[in-house]
Amino acid sequence: MRRRRAAVIAAVGVVLALAAAYAGGCAYAAHRLDAEKASYAAERSAYIGKTGEARNLAKSAKGKVLDVKTIDALNTAAGRRLPAPGQARPWALWEEIPVLHGYAQARATLGDDAKAIDQAIAEVRASQSSKRVKDAKDMLSNADGAAKKLLADSNGKVADNRTRDALSAAISGADKTLKTPGTGLKPGLAEAYTAALKPLADASRQVNDSMKTKSDADAKAAADAAAAQAQAAAQSQGAAQSTQSYAQTPAYGNYSGAAQSYAGGGTGYQQPAAPRQQAQPQAPAPANNGGGQQGGSSFNWDAWVAEQNKNAIILSPTDRCKVFGDCSGLN
């Protein structure tokens, strides 16, 4: 009887011990599960923030990367599904242990996915930097080529040749910068290319301004020369016309024939008709010297008619002086 009671007591003790151990195990598992849940929640929140940053970067970097595949990789990394650990009843130790293991795996997955997103973000930003460097270098290279062409084309066409010297110096500086070794990851390389643009652009503008100054001056000189030539030609033509007009002015001749009107010096007159022909007086025959013609007439009829016309015209003293050259009546 005593043995039987002792066996029962021992069995009950074992049961109680097992119950206590089970209860303790459940409590411990529940505590660890709560800790894992808290850690997972923190990592999940950080991960969600990282995916949001990745999506924003993918949108803003569109068209600004050298390799578009980096954006695709970033979107893929940020689009992974979040792990979902299971749930367990706090008194079911057989449920808590697998769920506890599930939270540990979920945290590891979040860590791996976060690293993948960080890597994708780094690649996108590196591709952005490479594109900035390439764009700046291409811009400087194009400007350098245009400046070299301007330097060649402006030879002898500038008002101040010092502007071409400055452009040549700027071209040398740009060439040196273009030969700088480095990739898109080298800090300050894009800024160096951009900085070399300003002196090149300033020197090119000064050469263009100097070319325009010379072109305007040449055009004005040509216009002045053409105007002077035209003026000289006009003066020469006017002088020739004056000489021709003077040469063609009719001289005053014998006033014979029909009556003519004359106005001048404030006195008008009408030339009468030529006097009627009178009988020509017979001039005495010249003496015969033995060899001359006998009986010939020596009377000058034309001179006599002219003298009669001269005396018949009533003119002022000034007009007579002008017409016949008889200036005796002038004071």
Side-chain angles (χ1 to χ4, degrees), residues 44-174:
R44 184 176 182 273
S45 178
Y47 179 81
I48 291 175
K50 192 179 294 293
T51 58
E53 177 188 356
R55 291 190 181 97
N56 291 334
L57 177 60
K59 291 179 181 178
S60 64
K62 188 176 182 180
K64 300 178 182 179
V65 293
L66 194 62
D67 185 2
V68 296
K69 293 181 180 179
T70 57
I71 294 181
D72 296 337
L74 180 59
N75 285 325
T76 300
R80 292 175 182 174
R81 181 176 297 179
L82 290 170
Q87 300 295 326
R89 290 172 290 184
W91 50 268
L93 185 59
W94 62 88
E95 292 179 356
E96 289 182 349
I97 293 175
V99 171
L100 184 64
H101 180 67
Y103 271 102
Q105 288 183 333
R107 288 177 58 196
T109 300
L110 285 179
D112 292 340
D113 291 347
K115 290 179 180 178
I117 291 176
D118 288 338
Q119 180 64 28
I121 289 175
E123 290 177 356
V124 168
R125 288 176 175 167
S127 186
Q128 283 182 297
S129 179
S130 295
K131 181 169 174 55
R132 284 195 297 269
V133 170
K134 181 180 183 302
D135 291 346
K137 186 175 184 179
D138 289 345
M139 187 178 298
L140 179 60
S141 179
N142 293 336
D144 187 59
K148 288 177 179 177
K149 184 177 185 304
L150 177 61
L151 184 65
D153 294 343
S154 62
N155 188 19
K157 299 178 181 179
V158 292
D160 184 358
N161 203 57
R162 289 176 296 180
T163 59
R164 297 184 71 252
D165 296 338
L167 179 59
S168 179
I171 290 173
S172 298

Side-chain angles (χ1 to χ4, degrees), residues 255-279:
Y255 286 81
S256 61
Q260 298 181 4
S261 297
Y262 177 85
T267 303
Y269 76 92
Q270 184 175 5
Q271 179 178 342
R276 288 178 299 180
Q277 183 174 353
Q278 299 179 2

Side-chain angles (χ1 to χ4, degrees), residues 226-303:
Q229 185 177 3
Q231 183 178 6
Q235 291 176 348
S236 177
Q237 183 178 4
Q241 289 177 350
S242 298
T243 302
Q244 183 178 5
S245 298
Y246 178 80
Q248 292 178 352
T249 301
Y252 291 98
N254 293 333
Y255 286 81
S256 61
Q260 298 181 4
S261 297
Y262 177 85
T267 303
Y269 76 92
Q270 184 175 5
Q271 179 178 342
R276 288 178 299 180
Q277 183 174 353
Q278 299 179 2
Q280 181 178 356
Q282 295 293 328
N288 188 0
N289 296 325
Q293 185 178 5
Q294 297 290 331
S297 176
S298 62
F299 184 79
N300 189 337
W301 172 253
D302 291 334

